[in-house]
Amino acid sequence: MDMDALFLARVQFAFTVSFHFIFPAFSIGLASYLAVLEALWLKTGRSEFLDLFKFWLKIFAVAFAMGVVSGIVMSYQFGTNWAVFSDRTGPVLGPLMAYEVLTAFFLEAGFLGVMLFGLEKVGRKLHFAATLMVALGTFVSAFWILSVNSWMQTPAGYEIAANGQFLPGPSWLEVIFNPSFPYRLLHTVTAAYLTTAFAVGAVGAWHLLRNREEPHARIMFSMAMWMAALVAPVQIFLGDAHGLNTLEHQPAKVMAMEGHYESHPDGAPLILFGVPDSEAGDVKYAVEIPKASSLILKHDPNAPLAGLDTVAPEDRPPVGPVFWAFRVMVGLGFAMLGIGLWSLLARVRGRLYDWSWLHRAAIAMGPSGFVAVIAGWITTEVGRQPWTVYGLLRTEDSASPLAAPAVASSLLAFVVVYFAVFGVGTWYILRLMAKGAHPGELGVKRGDTGPIRTAGITPGPTQNPGYSERLPDGDGEPD
Amino acid sequence: MDLTLIWAFVIAFAVFAYVVMDGFDLGIGVLFPGFKVGVERDAAMNSIAPVWDGNETWLVLGGGGLFAAFPLAYAVILPATYPLIVAMLLGLVFRGVAFEFRWRDPRHRAFWDLAFFGGSLAAALSQGMILGALLQGIAVENRAYAGSWWDWLTPYTLLTGLGTVAGYALLGATWLVWKLEGAAQAHARRQAVRAAWATIALMGAVSLYNLVLRPEYAERWLSAPELYFAAPVPLATGAVALLLLRALAKEREAAPFWLSLGLFLLGMAGLGVTIFPHVVPPDVTIWDAAAPHRSQVFMLIGVALTMPLILAYTGWAYWVFRGKVGHEGYH
């Protein structure tokens, strides 16, 4: 098929899925964090936890909406732009996606209304159950979609029909729990929790810089820093395990990650930085540690590691993007660990809430999770090329019969709309974050005619003169 | 037991559920400019704020279900209607974020109201046109779409598009009749009457057009003995239409919404009668496109286990937010 149309289709998929993933990366962690906050409020009765719950609920509502609408785009894009892939893999991957809708999407969407608007409508325990269902739904969603992606990377449990379709074998467990799935699931879900932790930490730190005594900021910052300290090291370990699994099943991807154009028969170097040059087949200006790659990947500094010279040229992934995305991700992972360790030191010294440099660093690391997850996805997806189903179906054979102008138009439309709409949405979230959590947070209000019948806590005009008839901005404060 | 037939009904059910549930959400969006700024618009949006996301999820089940149960159909219909799908998706983006952004940014409320309207209209129109493109037939060769870039744009698809917009407006207006009070409700009722007439007229027009669209459709509807099985559908549709107009005239509260739903059910039943057993007219039957037995069984178990739960908690969520979206001052 037409190379331009193929390239455009790939760019469109990469663009829409990257944008999309930013939101669930946040929603998965945030839904669980909201459940934790609500649980702490129910258990301790402290109003700060309710304030924090309502504060983050507003942000969650915006982020979740953006995740939903960008997610629907993905579910249809398999069909519109990757019709051959859809036809071929439908029998195997279709059911997994159907289960995602049946067990996750309906669950989170079904209980979202009560979670956002039902605090005064249903009892406390029932509301908490709704919050838990939304959090569970986000996790179950990750389970199924990562199983789908993992099957594309390490297909298992299939047979191939005469017409080229992949058919499920006798065991669905083999399909779902394919070789890379457990590693990818743990690594990605942990990444989502860390992403949220650092976002929360940055918000807490931001408000601590303004007022170190502010109770909500203290709670947020402390919780986030515990996550950083305890979970960042776990994530590094999980990433390593994931990498070892990838070495076994997708060696070409690891070769690209490592920048190993050539095989190393006794001990491969760890290339820290450099500029991969696929034309020449080497990494220019390389800064490397001899034998360290073999040490990490094989636990033996002298172990041989094959390079891309053992892979046919048409089967090699692009090295540059994979090499660099991997380094960005790992670098940020270690930076997260650094913040975690720094926060532990601050705690030991009793300075967690007044070490301004730590707070500034935490603010700078606010977006680190978002950048790291995108870098990670670039590593694994570009590293999967030139396959959509690794070793079995090539990307160039997977696309729909669409002409370049068609895909160019849709790509342009997505780029413009996504930057505009999601850019504005992100700005609204940042504004909410800057406002901070206050005592007596009103949560997700919708003016006087909210979905709850009674107007709730907002006093009417006779009880609160000066409260105008203009639409309130939903944060419970006078306009 | 023919699992393929069962799956055809499951997909049809998912599409029907989507159409009626997101139908009234999109219908409210389409009617939005007609509501007064302030309490009327707020109330209209708030009547669906807790349920729109769950409603929209049926669209993902419809598409995802098609991918899973009839992968060839999914792989052919979507590229065939490419610009319509893209327009629908972008419309849904604007409609979806408008729910949140409208409240976040009162200074730009007018813009987000326009986004809510425009997005809903784009989604409704595209969905109707996709239906039309399907009914008029899609060229398939070697398991791939083989038609041209503009096949989806014809007078027929524009007609089905408009019919869908009118139908959604009817669902939206009758939903508001049920959920609103006072002047806002009276306004919704007037809009419902207009939408009812438009929907009935356009449904009639599409049904008649179907008879000349493809010879096999005329044969299906007009030749005996199929005629005796098919005839009840237009008769029942006519009856429901009359009941609907009467219910609106008598200022009934909930009946108009349920009767509109009935109208949609009959309309979809009619479409099913028209194209059965094809999932992609004229050449691809449900058996041509069906996923293998193992996939069908695996998913059917999932549907059987989860669907009762889904319907239960969805019903519960609607029940929590039952009653009028009022305008009261205190607890």
Side-chain angles (χ1 to χ4, degrees), chain A residues 75 91 99 410 428 431 449, chain B residues 46 74 82 104-105 143 295 298:
Chain A
S75 68
Y99 267 97
S410 60
Y428 290 149
R431 237 181 23 179
T449 60
Chain B
N46 285 330
Y74 177 80
Y82 190 69
R104 288 288 122 238
D105 192 0
R143 303 185 72 84
S295 310
F298 182 53

Side-chain angles (χ1 to χ4, degrees), chain A residues 324-347:
Chain A
W324 275 111
F326 180 64
R327 271 146 194 76
V328 168
M329 178 187 70
V330 174
L332 286 171
F334 278 103
M336 290 181 180
L337 177 65
I339 296 280
L341 292 174
W342 188 353
S343 74
L344 287 178
L345 180 65
R347 273 187 217 274

Side-chain angles (χ1 to χ4, degrees), chain A residues 82-132:
Chain A
W82 300 99
V84 179
F85 169 83
S86 300
D87 180 37
R88 298 272 176 91
T89 64
V92 174
L93 297 181
L96 272 51
M97 306 232 46
Y99 267 97
E100 186 183 8
V101 181
L102 291 169
T103 60
F105 290 155
F106 273 118
L107 192 67
E108 52 184 24
F111 285 97
L112 183 72
V114 174
M115 181 189 178
L116 293 182
F117 303 114
L119 257 175
E120 279 110 28
K121 274 240 150 196
V122 306
R124 289 182 177 193
K125 288 219 176 98
L126 205 44
H127 182 271
F128 180 56
T131 304
L132 280 177

Side-chain angles (χ1 to χ4, degrees), chain B residues 19-95:
Chain B
V19 159
V20 295
M21 292 171 85
D22 207 21
F24 67 81
D25 293 339
L26 291 172
I28 288 171
V30 164
L31 294 169
F32 213 57
F35 297 119
K36 286 210 290 272
V37 176
V39 171
E40 237 182 61
R41 284 196 184 180
D42 296 355
M45 222 183 193
N46 285 330
S47 74
I48 50 176
V51 293
W52 79 269
D53 190 11
N55 292 352
E56 196 180 61
T57 306
W58 291 92
L59 181 65
V60 190
L61 183 63
L66 196 65
F67 176 37
F70 300 101
L72 178 60
Y74 177 80
V76 165
I77 295 172
L78 269 53
T81 54
Y82 190 69
L84 295 171
I85 303 263
V86 175
M88 175 186 80
L89 293 171
L90 292 175
L92 290 173
V93 168
F94 278 106
R95 187 277 296 259

Side-chain angles (χ1 to χ4, degrees), chain A residues 12 58 61-62 64-66 68-69 72-73 75-81 83 86-87 89-99 101-103 105-107 109-114 116-118 120-122 126 144 159 163 165 167-170 172 176 400-402 406-407 410 413-414 417-418 421-422 424-425 427-428 431-432 445-458 460 463 471-474, chain B residues 7 38-39 42-43 46-47 49-65 67-68 71-72 74-76 78-80 82 85-86 88-90 92-97 99-109 112 143-146 149 181 289-292 294-303 305-307 310 313-314 316-317 319-331:
Chain A
Q12 185 177 286
K58 285 186 286 196
V62 179
F64 194 81
M66 293 195 282
V68 164
V69 296
I72 299 192
V73 171
S75 68
Y76 279 84
Q77 199 171 169
F78 290 120
T80 53
N81 292 81
S86 300
D87 180 37
T89 64
V92 174
L93 297 181
L96 272 51
M97 306 232 46
Y99 267 97
V101 181
L102 291 169
T103 60
F105 290 155
F106 273 118
L107 192 67
F111 285 97
L112 183 72
V114 174
L116 293 182
F117 303 114
E120 279 110 28
K121 274 240 150 196
V122 306
L126 205 44
W144 289 110
E159 295 159 4
N163 64 6
Q165 277 186 314
L167 303 179
W172 280 100
I176 296 167
S400 301
L402 293 169
V407 191
S410 60
F414 279 119
V417 172
Y418 273 30
V421 173
F422 299 144
V424 167
W427 183 56
Y428 290 149
R431 237 181 23 179
L432 283 169
K445 280 276 301 157
R446 288 292 185 268
D448 272 339
T449 60
I452 52 174
R453 184 170 189 194
T454 51
I457 305 167
T458 309
Q463 294 143 287
L471 198 70
D473 65 356
Chain B
W7 268 104
V39 171
D42 296 355
N46 285 330
S47 74
V51 293
W52 79 269
D53 190 11
N55 292 352
E56 196 180 61
T57 306
W58 291 92
L59 181 65
V60 190
L61 183 63
F67 176 37
L72 178 60
Y74 177 80
V76 165
L78 269 53
Y82 190 69
I85 303 263
V86 175
M88 175 186 80
L89 293 171
L90 292 175
L92 290 173
V93 168
F94 278 106
R95 187 277 296 259
V97 299
F99 276 103
E100 291 302 320
F101 291 8
R102 187 177 188 267
W103 302 99
R104 288 288 122 238
D105 192 0
R107 283 192 317 139
H108 294 104
R109 181 205 47 76
W112 292 116
R143 303 185 72 84
Y145 174 58
W149 172 231
E181 302 173 296
R294 269 184 192 142
S295 310
Q296 293 176 320
V297 169
F298 182 53
M299 285 190 293
L300 202 55
I301 294 172
V303 170
L305 292 174
T306 59
M307 197 49 66
I310 291 169
Y313 63 65
T314 302
W316 176 70
W319 185 78
V320 169
F321 294 101
R322 67 194 179 284
K324 298 285 180 185
V325 177
H327 179 57
E328 300 199 320
Y330 54 94
H331 262 301

